Amino acid sequence: MRIHFVLFASLFVCCTNAVLAQLPENLAAVFKYQRVAIPKYQTDSTFVVRNVWAERIVFTGADSFKISAYVTRPSEYRENRPFVLFNHWGEGDKSEFLQQAMLLSSRGFVCILIDGPWLCPDSPIKSFKDQGFEMYRQYVMNARSAIDLAQQHFKVNDDKIFCVGHSFGCNTAAILSGVDKRIDYFVFMAGVYSTTKNATQSQVPDFVKWRTDSPEQFKAWVTKMQPLDAENYLPFKTAPCLIQIASKDEYLSDAENDAFIRLMPVPKEVKVYDAGHGLNAVAESDRVEWILGQVR
């Protein structure tokens, strides 16, 4: 069973102050970014399914960081196609959304699916405990570089740029909603409004053990990570979005989900699914249909 809420743009006036306010400089400075001239990417492998061309690639983005990714696109090259950037969850990799990307590319989209920084070649970022700040920041920077790649090499439609993020990828998408206004639409999947509050309250055994065994290290981690909490960026989102919530989420409470929704300015659409944190096939279908609906 699903609950479906739609908040229409006519409610926009309720959030005028949040939408028009400027992102604080101390937050904007963390993600200060100059668009990167992306050199020709390296292709590891290629496969074609019907009219869709898919490549597994590596390209160099901001901070000279090597980024591994999939690119899917219609086999017939044409400029001005819509573009979707996919950010996967922490338990997975770039292949999480590959099936959805192939489907969207069969309908005319260019898609880029990046790996999290900890999965990229030669990456020095491996530990969420020791490098959580660097992990989040680099994911955001890599996502921005992926948009550069799409604009420069595939000449995508600048008015039809989508970002889809799940869990960890959703939290980076939340940051992007405040710092990169090139993105015209968002899909937020099972995201947390505050990583630090979640880690502080979570009963997941790994977090409980960390807080118990290394309280000072955990406290220092929280202090460093607080500027990257999604709640700092969501009020500055201006793009339309779809929010997908799991009613049986193993990691997020109802209160956390409610806070995520409440912080999000309109226009927004919210759907709740009878599913765990990974969501389900109904959510996948709704996600694809929502994206297609924005370009019809």
Side-chain angles (χ1 to χ4, degrees):
M1 179 179 179
R2 292 180 292 150
I3 305 169
H4 181 190
F5 303 96
V6 180
L7 286 83
F8 293 99
S10 59
L11 298 176
F12 182 81
V13 66
C14 299
C15 297
T16 298
N17 291 338
V19 170
L20 296 182
Q22 181 94 14
L23 186 70
E25 179 56 34
N26 66 310
L27 299 179
V30 174
F31 302 101
K32 188 175 182 180
Y33 185 80
Q34 282 191 314
R35 296 187 185 183
V36 180
I38 304 291
K40 176 63 178 175
Y41 55 82
Q42 299 175 335
T43 300
D44 288 342
S45 59
T46 302
F47 58 95
V48 181
V49 179
R50 297 185 181 88
N51 64 332
V52 176
W53 188 280
E55 296 176 276
R56 191 169 64 183
I57 69 168
V58 175
F59 66 100
T60 302
D63 306 325
S64 299
F65 196 92
K66 289 184 179 179
I67 305 163
S68 47
Y70 281 117
V71 176
T72 68
R73 56 187 172 86
S75 55
E76 179 186 354
Y77 177 80
R78 191 176 75 234
E79 295 183 3
N80 210 40
R81 292 189 182 276
F83 167 62
V84 184
L85 167 68
F86 287 99
N87 293 347
H88 67 79
W89 68 336
E91 301 298 317
D93 60 21
K94 61 182 178 292
S95 64
E96 177 186 357
F97 292 107
L98 184 57
Q99 184 176 352
Q100 292 160 68
M102 296 289 286
L103 175 58
L104 287 167
S105 290
S106 74
R107 303 290 292 273
F109 285 72
V110 174
C111 301
I112 297 180
L113 307 78
I114 58 174
D115 268 327
W118 60 95
L119 298 171
C120 290
D122 305 322
S123 173
I125 301 172
K126 299 295 184 183
S127 170
F128 184 61
K129 284 185 178 180
D130 298 327
Q131 300 169 294
F133 183 95
E134 292 78 10
M135 195 172 280
Y136 266 109
R137 180 188 175 277
Q138 195 63 57
Y139 207 141
V140 171
M141 300 300 273
N142 291 357
R144 302 184 81 174
S145 294
I147 298 173
D148 289 338
L149 174 66
Q151 290 178 320
Q152 293 171 29
H153 288 272
F154 301 106
K155 309 298 183 185
V156 297
N157 185 337
D158 291 341
D159 295 323
K160 297 295 180 183
I161 294 178
F162 296 76
C163 178
V164 177
H166 181 201
S167 190
F168 194 106
C170 180
N171 300 340
T172 59
I175 295 171
L176 285 163
S177 75
V179 302
D180 199 320
K181 297 305 180 181
R182 290 179 294 177
I183 302 171
D184 305 293
Y185 304 92
F186 286 91
V187 179
F188 298 106
M189 304 165 52
V192 62
Y193 81 101
S194 171
T195 299
T196 58
K197 291 185 178 71
N198 177 267
T200 300
Q201 300 165 4
S202 175
Q203 295 306 304
V204 172
D206 285 349
F207 281 115
V208 174
K209 188 175 189 305
W210 185 13
R211 296 195 304 261
T212 303
D213 294 351
S214 307
E216 292 304 314
Q217 183 202 37
F218 180 77
K219 183 179 179 181
W221 178 88
V222 166
T223 300
K224 186 174 183 179
M225 288 289 292
Q226 280 175 334
L228 304 190
D229 280 339
E231 64 181 338
N232 297 317
Y233 302 88
L234 290 177
F236 301 95
K237 178 200 74 75
T238 55
C241 70
L242 171 65
I243 304 171
Q244 296 189 303
I245 300 292
S247 66
K248 297 178 180 177
D249 202 305
E250 311 93 294
Y251 304 110
L252 303 177
S253 66
D254 289 345
E256 287 177 300
N257 285 330
D258 289 345
F260 190 94
I261 295 167
R262 188 175 62 252
L263 283 163
M264 188 79 66
V266 292
K268 61 185 171 185
E269 182 174 345
V270 183
K271 293 190 177 185
V272 183
Y273 300 87
D274 184 18
H277 193 68
L279 293 169
N280 57 23
V282 178
E284 178 179 332
S285 177
D286 284 349
R287 190 160 53 250
V288 170
E289 283 304 309
W290 188 86
I291 291 171
L292 290 172
Q294 311 310 309
V295 299
R296 289 191 180 114

